[in-house]
């Protein structure tokens, strides 16, 4: 593992992995310190060993970084797990290669590492990583960044419920069904044109490179699908137009924390009075919570878009 932390093309790799300049500089400084600590190098190797079985297995959520100690180190939040992700890049890239995924899309998927380090800085004002559990999904090989949106293959829970309802108590479904789950990174306007383009890329990408995991529907679980948004934002707003693409189903869940995090990049106990109110969306998020109402996260589907 020490050798991989000293690879001659490390700075180029950090750029391909989506690291902003300030985060890359801090990471290089950390690596210099870790290399002088055999105990920390061993810890990185232990965390990397937890990650390797994740690659290529995306039917179940990974618990690779669920241990409380996975995010505690002397370099900052989640820094040693960050290094474990860094030193296992070649194995994920090899999985992409065997699937035939183009080189640029392979690096684009893995660039969510740098994106998440940037999100940590936006949230906490410092270098680190608090979303290493999410990055286990990225490292599984199920996740790809296609245009404006991110997508991953995941088991179709709705199909499982419907299938089981039709079977005897002793019977078992004999094939896994999949959906293409959609995510919205913080990278710019969510215009209808960019969404159409991303959906079109996903409908081509997954059948081409993952034909053995057939998925015909798009899926999204997000507070952005809360119909209450359409009551406070203009009908022509990008968010409302995105929301109206989806057919909602199932039970909703508490979405206040997600609404605050994805709008303001804040976690934990938040003083609502400290949050900015510069936009219609920001004011709407705060006003609804202050009024005693809540934001809800909903599941939605778009049928047939993955074909």
């Amino acid at each position: 593992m020490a050798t991989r932390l000293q690879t001659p093309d490390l700075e180029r790799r950090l750029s391909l992995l989506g690291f902003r300049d300030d985060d890359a500089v801090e990471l290089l400084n950390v690596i210099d310190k870790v290399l002088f600590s055999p105990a920390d190098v061993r810890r990185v190797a232990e965390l990397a060993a937890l990650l390797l079985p994740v690659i290529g297995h995306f039917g179940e959520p990974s618990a690779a970084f669920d241990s409380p100690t996975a995010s505690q180190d002397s370099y900052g939040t989640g820094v040693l797990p960050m290094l474990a992700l860094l030193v296992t890049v070649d194995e994920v890239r090899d999985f992409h290669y065997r699937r035939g995924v183009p080189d640029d899309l392979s690096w684009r998927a893995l660039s969510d590492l740098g994106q998440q380090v940037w999100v940590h800085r936006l949230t906490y004002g410092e270098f680190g990583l608090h979303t290493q559990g999410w990055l286990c999904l990225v490292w599984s090989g199920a996740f790809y960044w296609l245009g404006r949106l991110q997508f991953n293959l995941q088991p179709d829970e709705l199909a499982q419920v419907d299938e089981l309802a039709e079977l005897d108590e002793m019977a078992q479904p004999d094939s896994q069904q999949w959906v293409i789950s959609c995510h919205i990174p913080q990278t710019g306007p969510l215009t209808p044109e960019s969404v159409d383009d991303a959906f079109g890329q996903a409908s081509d990408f997954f059948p081409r490179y993952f034909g053995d995991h057939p998925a015909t529907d798009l899926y999204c679980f997000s507070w952005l699908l809360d119909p209450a948004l359409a009551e406070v934002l203009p009908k022509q707003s990008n968010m409302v137009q995105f929301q109206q693409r989806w057919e909602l189903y199932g039970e909703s869940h508490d979405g206040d924390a997600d609404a605050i995090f994805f709008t303001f990049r804040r976690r934990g106990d938040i003083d609502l009075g400290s949050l900015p109110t510069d936009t219609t969306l920001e004011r709407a998020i705060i006003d609804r919570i202050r009024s005693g109402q809540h934001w809800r996260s909903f599941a939605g589907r778009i049928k047939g878009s993955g074909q």
Side-chain angles (χ1 to χ4, degrees):
M1 289 301 152
T3 302
R4 293 195 178 193
L5 291 174
Q6 301 176 82
T7 178
D9 66 343
L10 184 55
E11 290 189 31
R12 173 180 173 273
R13 282 189 163 225
L14 294 184
S15 177
L16 290 169
L17 290 168
F19 280 82
R20 273 70 172 177
D21 289 345
D22 51 351
D23 290 328
V25 168
E26 291 214 38
L27 181 54
L28 290 170
N29 289 335
V30 165
I31 289 173
D32 286 341
K33 295 175 183 176
V34 167
L35 289 172
F36 280 97
S37 170
D40 288 332
V41 172
R42 284 194 300 271
R43 182 58 182 154
V44 172
E46 290 168 358
L47 291 169
L50 294 175
L51 272 174
L52 292 178
V54 168
I55 301 170
H57 298 277
F58 37 85
E60 297 293 336
S62 170
F65 285 154
D66 281 356
S67 167
T69 60
S71 62
Q72 298 171 2
D73 57 68
S74 60
Y75 304 102
T77 301
V79 175
L80 292 185
M82 189 192 308
L83 295 184
L85 290 157
L86 178 62
V87 300
T88 51
V89 163
D90 285 348
E91 283 77 8
V92 185
R93 294 260 298 148
D94 184 58
F95 174 81
H96 291 166
Y97 176 80
R98 294 196 308 271
R99 281 279 171 176
V101 174
D103 194 61
D104 60 330
L105 294 182
S106 171
W107 282 116
R108 182 59 170 154
L110 294 171
S111 74
D112 202 53
L113 174 56
Q115 173 80 3
Q116 294 304 315
V117 173
W118 177 65
V119 165
H120 183 90
R121 187 179 290 278
L122 288 178
T123 305
Y124 297 106
E126 62 184 18
F127 176 71
L129 179 67
H130 69 279
T131 53
Q132 56 263 41
W134 159 262
L135 285 163
C136 287
L137 168 65
V138 179
W139 256 236
S140 75
F143 168 100
Y144 297 91
W145 197 329
L146 306 172
R148 174 64 182 84
L149 301 173
Q150 298 169 331
F151 303 90
N152 70 276
L153 281 169
Q154 70 179 46
D156 185 354
E157 295 180 0
L158 184 62
Q160 291 177 2
V161 171
D162 291 344
E163 195 172 38
L164 286 169
E166 297 173 358
L167 297 171
D168 300 332
E169 290 185 2
M170 297 300 294
Q172 296 292 330
D174 49 10
S175 64
Q176 176 70 67
Q177 297 188 47
W178 302 85
V179 290
I180 302 170
S181 185
C182 174
H183 310 278
I184 307 97
Q186 183 176 340
T187 56
L190 191 65
T191 65
E193 295 78 13
S194 67
V195 174
D196 287 341
D197 172 70
F199 283 179
Q201 289 191 52
S203 67
D204 175 71
F205 178 90
F206 287 99
R208 177 176 298 187
Y209 301 110
F210 292 89
D212 55 339
H213 294 71
T216 60
D217 293 355
L218 286 169
Y219 166 86
C220 184
F221 182 79
S222 174
W223 73 276
L224 286 178
L225 302 190
D226 188 338
L229 266 180
E231 299 173 6
V232 296
L233 296 179
K235 291 183 179 179
Q236 69 273 20
S237 71
N238 291 336
M239 286 187 179
V240 171
Q241 291 188 68
F242 178 80
Q243 179 187 103
Q244 291 175 345
R245 295 172 183 262
W246 302 89
E247 178 182 345
L248 304 186
Y249 69 95
E251 296 183 1
S252 65
H253 298 267
D254 181 17
D256 284 349
D258 282 350
I260 290 175
F261 175 67
F262 289 108
T263 303
F264 302 101
R265 289 302 175 191
R266 300 283 295 277
R267 289 197 187 275
D269 295 330
I270 304 299
D271 174 11
L272 296 179
S274 70
L275 300 176
T277 55
D278 300 326
T279 68
T280 300
L281 177 63
E282 289 171 346
R283 292 190 292 272
I285 297 301
I286 295 170
D287 289 347
R288 185 172 183 83
I289 297 173
R290 276 181 170 162
S291 71
Q293 302 181 78
H294 297 280
W295 294 100
R296 305 292 296 176
S297 293
F298 285 81
R301 296 173 82 94
I302 300 176
K303 295 183 178 179
S305 293
Q307 293 180 329

